[in-house]
Amino acid sequence: MLITNHVLSGALIGAAAENPAAALPLGAASHFALDALPHWGTWLSRSHFLRVAVADGLTGLAVMGAAAAVTPPARRAAVIAGMVGAAVPDLDKPTRIFFGFSPFPRRVDEFHSRIQDEAPGRFYSHELVAGALFAGGFAALTAAARLRARKRAADADAGAGEGASAETDVPPEISGRTGARVRAGLGARAKEAASLLAPLRQRL
Ligand SMILES: [Zn+2]
């Protein structure tokens, strides 16, 4: 399968994973699972392979950068770990092209090439469809994560502005810490008022 699609599926896994330590091995496992599914491959010539591989490698790198950039900071490490895990098994492609060797044990390389279900003419029907699904899933999870991050930031802002909110008519039944602080503020204000009224009451 194209490295771009491995990167996209790794991004999706990272966006869904608990943390980076879970995303990394899940991403690597997804690589072999996807290579075992029907995908585009079997090139006409070495130059054809190189054309596809270079375009795919550069697209994959660009997708990595873009996915990391749009992910909120709290989720970014997991997304990067998922993408790296999913891309690493194909590291033997560039090292073979540039240095003529694979960094992996022979058993791994043999397994990796044995599981391939490749055929020509599957770019649109398989690769593009898979890529769109992974990208769509990643976009949905990332949009949700960004909304959560924005809400947390808004809640934190509201918490910081509490001193002022005690002066306004925020209902004291608001739950949680904010509510407790508002109630304490109102209590202090009531005591203040009572102490101001005390001399007046004595005179009456
Ligand atoms: Zn592979």
Side-chain angles (χ1 to χ4, degrees), residues 47-77:
S47 77
H48 183 206
F49 163 73
L50 280 177
R51 265 207 315 281
V52 173
V54 169
D56 181 32
L58 293 176
T59 308
L61 276 177
V63 167
M64 269 193 177
V70 298
T71 299
R75 300 286 326 156
R76 194 167 289 147

Side-chain angles (χ1 to χ4, degrees), residues 3 8 25-26 38 44 46 50 52 59 63 88 106 120 123-124 126 133-134 140 142-143 148 158 170 173 176 197:
I3 193 71
L8 283 169
L26 281 173
L44 304 169
R46 186 173 160 77
L50 280 177
V52 173
T59 308
V63 167
V88 154
R106 200 160 49 92
F123 176 71
Y124 293 104
H126 292 66
L133 287 174
F134 298 147
T142 302
R148 281 197 304 275
V170 176
E173 59 271 35
L197 287 174

Side-chain angles (χ1 to χ4, degrees), residues 141-168:
L141 289 182
T142 302
R146 287 173 74 114
L147 269 177
R148 281 197 304 275
R150 207 174 304 161
K151 193 176 172 305
R152 264 199 304 273
D155 286 352
D157 277 356
E162 250 158 47
S165 71
E167 316 252 15
T168 63

Side-chain angles (χ1 to χ4, degrees), residues 1 6 31 35 89-90 93 112 116:
M1 180 160 283
H6 285 304
H31 185 108
D35 273 359
D90 268 350
K93 272 76 178 179
H112 195 175
Q116 302 293 326

